[in-house]
Amino acid sequence: MSDTDKQQFHVTRLYHPSHHVIDLREAEAWFERVFGRQSRSIAEMTRNAPASEGYPTDYSIFTPISDVLFDTIDPKRYVLNGIQQYESVDSPTLKGFGWYVDGIADAYQRLKQLGIGMVGQLGEAAEGDDPPSAPGSPMPIFFTVPEDAGLRYEFLPQIPFPLDHRLSPGWELPPVSEDDPLVIERCSHHTILTDRPDRALRVMVDGLGGTIFHEGRNEVLSATSTYVHLADAVFEYAVPDADTQAYTDWAVNAPNDTYHSITWKVRDLEQVARHLKEQGVGIRTHTSEVVITEPETSLGIPWGFTTALTTGDPRHAG
């Protein structure tokens, strides 16, 4: 991508990870008990202004966790025009994530130039010169097709969104709260399992202007990983070895990629391990450098906790 192309749009911030669950109340209680975080319902968005006709207001909760806004969705409740938009799940699972974009029409055109298939919010193919808009709204919003991008990535402009704590005027990465049972400093990285890192990097680097800053082995996952910095976040694209747990986790969505986990940088790893055990959360891995939870006891996610960011992470100074 040329410098001119890069200047046409700017990916400003990770919007949110999307997590699909069976029971929103159970998820809300789990985040309060384990992460010590309160969640807020999407219904709060319509207290002062009605939702678009037919748009559901009970399908999602948002949980602020340091520099991440975490979105939990009950697919059964997400019904537009009488059609359930996401397949129901048998167990909780991470699904995808997206970004706020300044100059979203140019970002759409860039991905289109690269031959990346995209759809609108109702699943309609995005084939025009302009990006599709939200149902009943002029706001542009679109998603990549997993077959072309590996995952369903979301793109929208940075709109006023009261449930996003990071959009408050003057917001900065907060210090560790003394009330935080997991002593989280910030998000370290998001891990995506893939057998085609070239496909993902075509979107992340060639399309969106992300930067590869580290490549190497992830011995905990038994995978070969490429780390990309984009906007305010880091993404690990990991190719797992055969006959490993990570390979099995990837194969669930093969030939597409799998959004596997989120790893947090924390102040005290032993405090994290103690708290997780006290809350009945199983631990899959516990070394001097990392703790990883058992998904079966942690909303389907192998959450990671570490005391060090990835080598070369450009946010080290931040």
Side-chain angles (χ1 to χ4, degrees), residues 185-267:
E185 295 179 350
R186 71 178 310 156
C187 180
S188 171
H189 59 277
H190 305 257
T191 298
I192 299 92
L193 303 177
T194 182
D195 70 335
R196 291 180 55 190
D198 57 316
R199 176 176 59 183
L201 297 177
R202 191 158 174 256
V203 175
M204 297 290 290
V205 178
D206 299 340
L208 303 178
T211 303
I212 297 173
F213 68 87
H214 182 68
E215 298 176 86
R217 287 289 296 174
N218 182 329
E219 296 298 348
V220 174
L221 270 183
S222 297
T224 300
S225 296
T226 302
Y227 294 83
V228 178
H229 175 241
L230 177 62
D232 61 337
V234 165
F235 305 89
E236 174 191 18
Y237 287 89
V239 181
D241 299 344
D243 301 321
T244 61
Q245 181 62 58
Y247 186 89
T248 300
D249 293 344
W250 163 76
V252 170
N253 295 310
N256 298 330
D257 298 343
T258 292
Y259 186 10
H260 179 64
S261 66
I262 301 174
T263 297
W264 306 94
K265 184 178 185 296
V266 300
R267 187 173 63 191

Side-chain angles (χ1 to χ4, degrees), residues 1-9 11 106-116 148 155 197-212 228-230 237:
M1 183 189 298
S2 70
D3 290 340
T4 300
D5 288 331
K6 288 184 179 180
Q7 293 173 0
Q8 290 177 340
F9 65 89
V11 179
D106 291 320
Y108 170 77
Q109 287 293 338
R110 177 59 187 168
L111 294 174
K112 190 176 179 182
Q113 290 169 7
L114 291 172
I116 307 298
D148 290 342
F155 302 85
D198 57 316
R199 176 176 59 183
L201 297 177
R202 191 158 174 256
V203 175
M204 297 290 290
V205 178
D206 299 340
L208 303 178
T211 303
I212 297 173
V228 178
H229 175 241
L230 177 62
Y237 287 89

Side-chain angles (χ1 to χ4, degrees), residues 15-20 31 42 59-63 68-73 94 154:
Y15 178 30
H16 61 65
S18 291
H19 179 226
H20 290 191
F31 276 116
I42 188 69
Y59 69 91
S60 169
I61 59 171
F62 289 86
T63 310
V68 172
L69 179 66
F70 194 84
D71 182 23
T72 305
I73 296 170
L94 282 172
E154 180 179 5

